[in-house]
């Protein structure tokens, strides 16, 4: 039987978009750079890595930066400058 959590996760994996900050099931943090049918390219501090969409466990953009959009913009700018 599918649980609500698995349904929510499946919907999240379908709805991800370029620029989202995510964590993979193996704990790798990064930003979605490209999206394909069943895979994504995640930009990490070590470079770009291809993952199956099913390996994305959660989205961090809203969780980290939902208080103000200014914080989100500053954080994204800092990540871009770092890379």
């Amino acid at each position: 039987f599918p649980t609500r959590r698995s349904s929510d996760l499946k919907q999240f994996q379908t709805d991800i978009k370029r620029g989202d900050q995510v964590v993979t099931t193996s704990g790798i943090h990064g930003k979605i750079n490209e999206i394909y049918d069943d895979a994504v390219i995640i930009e990490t501090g070590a470079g770009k890595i291809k993952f199956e969409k099913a390996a994305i466990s959660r989205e961090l953009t809203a969780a980290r930066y939902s208080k103000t959009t200014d914080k989100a913009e500053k954080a994204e700018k800092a990540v871009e400058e770092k890379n």
Side-chain angles (χ1 to χ4, degrees):
F1 294 94
T3 64
R4 177 168 169 86
R5 178 166 159 65
S6 66
S7 297
D8 289 347
L9 181 61
K10 183 100 172 139
Q11 185 62 45
F12 156 71
Q13 291 168 345
T14 303
D15 292 345
I16 58 175
K17 59 189 177 302
R18 193 167 191 255
D20 283 351
Q21 297 285 336
V22 297
V23 178
T24 67
T25 54
S26 59
I28 297 173
H29 292 236
K31 181 170 70 170
I32 301 293
N33 192 276
E34 297 177 44
I35 301 173
Y36 301 100
D37 290 337
D38 292 326
V40 294
I41 303 292
I42 298 177
E43 187 173 344
T44 69
K48 294 179 183 177
I49 306 170
K50 186 175 184 175
F51 285 93
E52 294 295 316
K53 280 186 180 178
I56 307 301
S57 66
R58 63 185 176 146
E59 195 259 342
L60 292 177
T61 307
R64 279 192 180 169
Y65 310 117
S66 63
K67 292 181 182 177
T68 65
T69 55
D70 290 339
K71 283 186 179 179
E73 291 172 5
K74 287 179 185 177
E76 186 172 329
K77 193 178 274 189
V79 168
E80 290 174 0
E81 289 173 1
K82 191 176 186 179
N83 293 331

